[in-house]
Amino acid sequence: MSIGNTLLGLLEAGPKHGYDLKQLYDKQFRQDRPLHYGQVYSTLNRLLKNGLVEENGVEAGGGPDRKRYAITDAGVTNVEEWLKSPENPSVYLQNTLYTKVVLALLSGRGAQDLLDAQRSSHLRAMRELTARKTDGDLADQLICDHALFHLEADLRWLELTAARLDDLARQLTR
């Protein structure tokens, strides 16, 4: 996810302090990636330098002065273009699990135990996500569904690979 574009999108509702942006980000996108304050302020500085936000007042407080940021017209255009552009699909043509299967077969160790352990790990993660989804709000349900669908696809691959292990082993040792 682009943190800069996300912060710009949150600023479209009106000027905010870095602290407020972090709180709003965590409320809306908290799932498993909380945003650190340092990342908020370094991103805001970059957006300011690039002309996508501007300072919109400073308030004195008990600590350092609090700058308020507002999105510029260029920032709005940037968000509009970002929202219109599709994300690149994640294609996993080379992943660690496949590499482990091949190396296990090449070394004569076999890969069935590896696939069984991975299946157990996926099923455990799916149970945790299902429980979280059951207790969560709509946003949590949607993000959990996304993760569950990916885990289901991985499980299908694990089953297919297990069914083809002997053929793969023969092909690799030719």
Side-chain angles (χ1 to χ4, degrees), residues 59-131:
E59 294 175 11
D65 290 344
R66 292 178 38 157
K67 295 178 186 174
R68 191 172 47 244
Y69 297 89
I71 191 169
T72 62
D73 290 340
V76 171
T77 300
N78 193 77
V79 170
E80 286 173 353
E81 290 172 5
W82 180 64
L83 291 174
K84 289 178 189 175
S85 64
E87 290 297 306
N88 290 328
S90 298
V91 179
Y92 304 104
L93 292 179
Q94 182 71 344
N95 71 24
T96 305
L97 183 55
Y98 172 77
T99 301
K100 286 181 173 184
V101 168
V102 170
L103 290 175
L105 293 173
L106 287 173
S107 69
R109 289 183 175 95
Q112 190 61 54
D113 289 344
L114 165 66
L115 293 173
D116 290 343
Q118 192 63 52
R119 186 181 304 105
S120 294
S121 179
H122 272 59
L123 290 171
R124 184 173 35 260
M126 290 175 81
R127 283 190 299 273
E128 291 168 4
L129 286 167
T130 301

Side-chain angles (χ1 to χ4, degrees), residues 4 28 35 47-48 57 63 87 90 115 120 124 140 164 167:
Q28 297 299 326
L35 190 59
L47 294 172
L48 185 64
E87 290 297 306
S90 298
L115 293 173
S120 294
R124 184 173 35 260
D140 224 24
R164 295 178 172 175
D167 292 340

Side-chain angles (χ1 to χ4, degrees), residues 9-64:
L10 293 173
L11 282 170
E12 281 193 296
K16 293 176 184 51
H17 300 283
Y19 176 86
D20 298 327
L21 281 170
K22 190 248 189 284
Q23 296 300 312
L24 187 55
Y25 177 95
D26 287 350
K27 178 182 175 195
Q28 297 299 326
F29 309 109
R30 70 192 178 283
Q31 282 72 21
D32 290 305
R33 295 174 77 186
L35 190 59
H36 299 284
Y37 284 106
Q39 192 172 6
V40 172
Y41 292 108
S42 65
T43 302
L44 284 170
N45 284 331
R46 189 176 67 252
L47 294 172
L48 185 64
K49 179 181 170 188
N50 293 333
L52 301 175
V53 298
E54 60 190 8
E55 287 185 22
N56 186 262
V58 177
E59 294 175 11

Side-chain angles (χ1 to χ4, degrees), residues 137-172:
D137 60 13
L138 182 58
D140 224 24
Q141 292 169 14
L142 289 171
I143 199 70
C144 287
D145 280 339
H146 187 265
L148 284 165
F149 293 149
H150 282 274
L151 288 170
E152 287 173 9
D154 286 350
L155 282 176
R156 287 194 309 272
W157 182 86
L158 289 166
E159 295 300 324
L160 180 66
T161 302
R164 295 178 172 175
L165 271 181
D166 291 339
D167 292 340
L168 181 59
R170 278 192 295 278
Q171 205 172 56
L172 291 171

